[in-house]
């Protein structure tokens, strides 16, 4: 294994796994495997890139650091020459969040400074300019992410945000430096390290910027960012003739299907509205969940009774609805109850023979795949930017699409089910 990724959630892990597998411009990348949690066994000999999916974005910081360092040790034991810490392209965190502490802990373990920080993902509308994160033409804190139920992003200045989380100053490489090419980027990162800055925000507006940044990081032990930062990383190993370069293949598992949507993002709510117009859909009564009147059996029965019709269950409320229910029952209790509900429902579905499962929402995806415990996943073709087909092994493979809340086109759910069938 040449490259190892530590991802702080499951949707992001699948996203960067596909980026590494497809390589630059889709001409072929690294033979990539997605691990759901830290593996207990040694990786297969033919794995070139290993992506470890953790559910560490919103847990206690000390635990997130501990899990990330454990993942680092396993990856280094597999021979990885480069480590990527992958977080969301919308930098989901809080002033007391985990991105800064985990990045600093990984940097200290590897003995490096001047580590680049770049959450940009232009294909999904995320760009970084003057250290500020944009979602399309809006500053992050004006894009709807300020209403995130767990990690409201109220400041688009990533430097300022990270300084609240880190022990050292945070540097910045502007777009002019990036446009001067890999050598200028590498020199600027080295200078930040010499100034004892562990982390440095790097501007990126286009995929070409990300490729240049990736090339500049060819010899870096640690890289951090969204999945876009991986665009140029596979090419570094191919150019050194350490790998031949392979592409993602068409894989799937045709059979019974279900859609679970736990995200409250604007994109997911639109996808839900479009899908429910033509397919069976059940809105989850969150108050009923908290009171015990809405159960796993209710959701599973609805989905199994509507097989062949692309059934959907969802808890994707508006920001006002989410705030009201959180105020009534408590944010953490609501999140935990919904995670348990979706996880239990997924288990029942798979036990009943469902082989195609679409999951919307990072926390929901984490709960579902943790419960299913499917082991290592193969990486297939991309459904929409940032969301590939995933396929488990074994005698009864399960095909998965794990969608971050704000990802995917309006018709994502129908499209995903077709791709999961191998079509």
């Amino acid at each position: 294994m040449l490259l190892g990724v530590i991802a702080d959630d499951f949707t992001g892990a699948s996203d960067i796994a596909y980026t590494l597998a497809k390589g630059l411009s889709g001409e072929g990348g690294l033979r990539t495997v997605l691990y759901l949690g830290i593996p207990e066994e040694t990786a297969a000999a033919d794995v070139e890139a290993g992506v470890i999916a953790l559910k560490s974005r919103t847990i206690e910081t000390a635990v997130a650091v501990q899990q990330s360092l454990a993942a680092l040790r396993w990856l280094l034991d597999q021979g990885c020459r480069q480590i990527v810490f992958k977080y969301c392209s919308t930098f989901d965190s809080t002033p007391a969040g985990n991105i800064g502490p985990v990045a600093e802990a990984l940097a200290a373990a590897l003995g490096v400074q001047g580590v680049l920080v770049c959450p940009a993902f232009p294909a999904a509308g995320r760009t970084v300019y003057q250290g500020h994160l944009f979602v399309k033409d809006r500053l992050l804190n004006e894009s709807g992410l300020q209403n995130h139920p767990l990690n409201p992003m109220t400041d688009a200045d990533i430097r300022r945000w990270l300084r609240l989380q880190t022990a050292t100053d945070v540097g910045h490489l502007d777009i002019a430096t990036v446009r001067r090419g890999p050598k200028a980027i590498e020199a600027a990162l080295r200078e930040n390290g010499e100034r004892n800055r562990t982390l440095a925000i790097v501007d990126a507006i286009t995929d070409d910027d990300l490729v240049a940044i990736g090339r500049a990081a060819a010899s870096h032990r640690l890289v951090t960012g969204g999945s876009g930062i991986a665009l140029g990383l596979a090419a570094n190993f191919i150019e050194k003739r350490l790998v031949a370069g392979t592409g993602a293949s068409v894989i799937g598992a045709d059979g019974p299907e279900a859609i679970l949507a736990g995200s409250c993002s604007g994109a997911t709510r639109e996808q839900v509205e479009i899908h429910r117009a033509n397919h069976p859909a059940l809105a989850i009564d969150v108050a009923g969940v908290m009171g015990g009147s809405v159960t796993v059996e209710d959701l599973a029965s609805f989905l199994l009774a509507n097989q062949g019709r692309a059934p959907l269950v969802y808890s994707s409320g508006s920001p006002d609805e989410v705030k009201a229910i959180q105020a009534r029952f408590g944010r953490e209790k609501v999140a935990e109850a919904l995670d348990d509900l979706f996880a239990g429902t997924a288990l029942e579905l798979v036990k009943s023979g469902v082989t195609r499962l679409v999951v919307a929402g990072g926390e929901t995806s984490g709960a579902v795949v943790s419960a299913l415990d499917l082991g290592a996943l193969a990486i297939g073709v991309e459904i929409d930017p940032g969301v590939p087909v995933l396929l488990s092994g074994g005698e009864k493979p399960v095909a998965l699409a794990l969608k971050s809340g704000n990802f995917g086109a309006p018709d994502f759910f129908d499209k995903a089910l077709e791709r999961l069938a191998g079509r």
Side-chain angles (χ1 to χ4, degrees), residues 34 60 154:
L34 173 58
E60 183 182 347
T154 57

Side-chain angles (χ1 to χ4, degrees), residues 127-159:
T127 57
V128 181
Y129 178 68
Q130 298 295 7
H132 288 66
L133 184 53
F134 288 79
V135 176
K136 298 182 180 177
D137 63 343
R138 297 286 182 179
L139 285 164
L140 180 66
N141 58 302
E142 299 174 357
S143 68
L145 269 297
Q146 70 272 26
N147 298 315
H148 193 287
L150 296 179
N151 299 314
M153 293 301 297
T154 57
D155 191 349
D157 189 332
I158 302 304
R159 292 167 298 179

Side-chain angles (χ1 to χ4, degrees), residues 375-390:
L377 301 177
I379 314 300
V381 297
E382 194 172 46
I383 301 166
D384 273 331
V387 193
V389 171
L390 304 173

Side-chain angles (χ1 to χ4, degrees), residues 81-104:
R81 304 184 183 191
Q82 185 171 62
I83 301 296
V84 179
F85 171 37
K86 196 278 176 193
Y87 38 79
C88 186
S89 59
T90 49
F91 216 74
D92 287 357
S93 190
T94 66
N98 296 340
I99 293 178
V102 169
E104 284 192 320

Side-chain angles (χ1 to χ4, degrees), residues 10-19 22 86 121 123-124 227 268 271 357-361 365 379-390 400-409 412-413 415-417 419-420:
F10 291 77
T11 56
S14 65
D15 179 2
I16 196 168
Y18 177 74
T19 303
K22 74 174 180 179
K86 196 278 176 193
F121 187 13
S227 62
T268 297
Q271 290 156 356
L357 199 56
V358 179
V359 188
S365 294
I379 314 300
V381 297
E382 194 172 46
I383 301 166
D384 273 331
V387 193
V389 171
L390 304 173
L400 294 163
L402 307 178
K403 185 191 85 72
S404 180
N406 277 299
F407 281 16
F412 176 83
F413 292 146
K415 189 190 308 180
L417 290 175
R419 297 288 190 275
L420 293 183

